Amino acid sequence: MFFIDTIETESLGNRSYLAGGARTAVAVDPPRDIDRVLAAAAARGVRISHVVETHVHNDYVTGGLDLARLTGAAYLVPFAARVSFARTPVADGDTVSVDEGITLRALATPGHTPHHTSYVLEEHRSVAAVFTGGSLLIGSVGRPDLVEPRLTEQLARAQHASARRLAAELPDETPVLPTHGFGSFCSSSQAEGDATTIGKEKTANDALVKDVDSFVANLLADLEDVPAYYAHMGPANAAGPRPVDLSTPPLTDAADIAERLAAGEWVVDLRNRIAFAEGHVAGSFNFEAEGKIATYLAWMIPWGKPVTLLAESPAQLAAAQRELVRVGIDRPAAAATGTPGNWMPDGHTPRSFPRATFADLAAQTPRPDVVLDVRRDSERANGWIEDSVHIPIHHLHQRLADVPAGTVWVHCAGGMRAAIAASLLDAAGRDVVAVDDSFDAATEAGLPLTTGS
């Protein structure tokens, strides 16, 4: 009997897979921190004989090359992918034997990238599942605009054709196992649900229920900004990522932290937003280790700028390092653990700012000077607080000068991004209040909302 294990990278909205039989297995689209894949194989008591990529990824650094090197597995990469390392090129229709009676068959599904390839897992020639990478997702497809703007419409049309090929050639009961679509910005829209089949997608996926022109028009109209760090992921993966290093970074002290801040480096406090608001090193930024630190820190930091991590514990520091290597922030310049008292020179006191709810905002008389909304465009389109200023969080660091004068009440949809924004504004010397609340509470609080219609 075959098995399929899912290796979740929830913070990036991605999944990798380990599939095989009694003795050997294949790893599909492995993450950078390959120890999780090795642990899954060890738990199954199998050897990894093949590592496969559905495409050259644009949203994370792959662990495929390193995993193949460590295990001696064959490294299968789509034939048309332009890469700089030795690999086993895979073309449409190629098959490999994974274990006795278990095979993997390549199926060309261009669209997310020009070379994108899905893999059909078969047991004794019966279809068991299909690994669709960034092609057919749950209720959606992978976005086609990550390669080159002039190719976007062409790739969108290819996505439509590829989805239909999968639907035509595979049985309705085939489980669809995508890499993207669980919160990943590689998805053209946010998927609903946790599992699907070819049959379910035939009734719900735009690529399978709409004609190609309608599908393409709607797909392109709904595309949003992608994280800025995506521009660096494809080249890193094509060049061949170096082995990951999760060893503890150089530990630093209060004087060095002050010097780094004075030099314009980023000092990132990983503690939760409540602790940060109550007291933090002046000039530091708050990216919660328990939040989407990989996505938002990598999106906002100038690429290559040194970053120092401040954590409340070695475990929190290690978890953040693991998140960051997945998106190419390989080695923090320095790190420290403890509390703000450990991170500031003698005689300095922590900075702080208040937190509030939407009910607190509604009770303000007169109205606060500035209400700043840092949600994405698609979120704001569903309604916003009247007279609020809109600067999406990923633009705020470059647009601090656009925030009007006065005390700033900043909000997002739930509180995490508002905390990041509040830390940026606080570091710039602004008076700020972080609204740590669900946006649903804005209506309940009686705040006037508008859609601009």
Side-chain angles (χ1 to χ4, degrees):
M1 287 289 293
F2 73 91
F3 72 86
I4 301 174
D5 290 339
T6 300
I7 300 165
E8 194 101 29
T9 304
E10 186 177 356
S11 58
L12 296 179
N14 287 330
R15 289 178 177 176
S16 304
Y17 302 93
L18 183 73
R23 296 183 305 276
T24 51
V26 57
V28 181
D29 288 343
R32 183 86 182 280
D33 47 332
I34 60 172
D35 56 334
R36 295 190 294 152
V37 185
L38 294 170
R44 286 282 184 178
V46 296
R47 177 178 62 86
I48 297 175
S49 59
H50 298 81
V51 177
V52 304
E53 304 281 9
T54 56
H55 59 295
V56 175
H57 300 283
N58 288 290
D59 65 324
Y60 69 93
V61 180
T62 182
L65 185 62
D66 198 23
L67 182 61
R69 179 184 61 82
L70 284 176
T71 61
Y75 190 27
L76 279 56
V77 178
F79 176 82
R82 300 180 68 85
V83 297
S84 303
F85 49 83
R87 89 287 194 197
T88 301
V90 179
D92 185 54
D94 286 352
T95 62
V96 296
S97 175
V98 177
D99 203 309
E100 184 176 354
I102 300 173
T103 60
L104 202 66
R105 173 166 55 92
L107 202 67
T109 49
H112 187 48
T113 66
H115 59 265
H116 190 284
T117 300
S118 298
Y119 297 91
V120 181
L121 186 71
E122 299 178 337
E123 184 178 41
H124 301 302
R125 299 186 180 180
S126 294
V127 174
V130 59
F131 301 104
T132 56
S135 183
L136 187 67
L137 311 184
I138 300 177
S140 184
V141 296
R143 56 191 301 160
D145 61 328
L146 302 180
V147 177
E148 164 59 42
R150 62 187 170 84
L151 298 179
T152 296
E153 182 173 348
Q154 173 187 329
L155 290 176
R157 292 181 178 277
Q159 274 291 51
H160 187 269
S162 291
R164 294 195 167 221
R165 181 186 184 190
L166 289 166
E169 296 188 13
L170 299 176
D172 282 358
E173 64 271 18
T174 305
V176 174
L177 304 177
T179 300
H180 306 312
F182 308 95
S184 168
F185 283 93
C186 267
S187 177
S188 60
S189 62
Q190 292 307 304
E192 298 291 336
D194 192 57
T196 193
T197 63
I198 290 292
K200 289 179 181 178
E201 291 307 301
K202 283 182 177 179
T203 66
N205 197 300
D206 280 358
L208 301 177
V209 299
K210 292 183 177 180
D211 66 85
V212 63
D213 290 332
S214 298
F215 167 77
V216 170
N218 291 341
L219 177 64
L220 300 187
D222 291 341
L223 293 175
E224 289 194 273
D225 290 349
V226 295
Y229 70 87
Y230 275 27
H232 305 281
M233 300 297 95
N237 287 325
R242 61 179 177 267
V244 69
D245 180 2
L246 291 174
S247 63
T248 303
L251 297 180
T252 191
D253 57 19
D256 182 62
I257 291 169
E259 290 177 3
R260 292 180 181 278
L261 284 166
E265 296 183 13
W266 277 38
V267 174
V268 171
D269 190 325
L270 301 169
R271 296 174 301 143
N272 71 68
R273 55 187 182 261
I274 298 174
F276 183 87
E278 290 175 347
H280 55 270
V281 177
S284 62
F285 301 144
N286 182 215
F287 289 81
E288 294 178 298
E290 291 76 18
K292 287 184 172 288
I293 181 176
T295 294
Y296 286 102
L297 178 56
W299 195 339
M300 296 170 66
I301 191 171
W303 198 252
K305 182 177 282 289
V307 59
T308 295
L309 301 179
L310 307 180
E312 62 186 6
S313 68
Q316 187 179 65
L317 174 60
Q321 279 186 262
R322 181 177 291 270
E323 291 286 351
L324 293 176
V325 297
R326 295 169 179 164
V327 292
I329 301 178
D330 281 11
R331 295 296 295 163
T337 58
T339 66
N342 305 124
W343 306 329
M344 296 181 298
D346 292 340
H348 287 67
T349 57
R351 289 271 298 182
S352 64
F353 53 77
R355 296 165 51 251
T357 65
F358 282 109
D360 295 327
L361 175 56
Q364 292 298 300
T365 304
R367 182 78 177 272
D369 299 315
V370 185
V371 176
L372 175 64
D373 181 350
V374 296
R375 295 174 300 159
R376 296 190 303 275
D377 291 344
S378 62
E379 296 172 289
R380 186 171 168 89
N382 293 323
W384 64 87
I385 297 170
E386 284 185 4
D387 300 321
S388 61
V389 176
H390 182 223
I391 303 176
I393 185 63
H394 53 280
H395 293 312
L396 182 60
H397 187 244
Q398 288 79 31
R399 295 184 55 191
L400 289 171
D402 294 339
V403 180
T407 299
V408 183
W409 287 60
V410 59
H411 78 85
C412 59
M416 181 193 73
R417 288 171 292 173
I420 296 172
S423 73
L424 297 177
L425 290 160
D426 177 78
R430 299 295 301 270
D431 292 327
V432 63
V433 178
V435 178
D436 193 355
D437 202 358
S438 167
F439 189 72
D440 293 338
T443 301
E444 298 168 10
L447 286 165
L449 303 186
T450 182
T451 60
S453 58

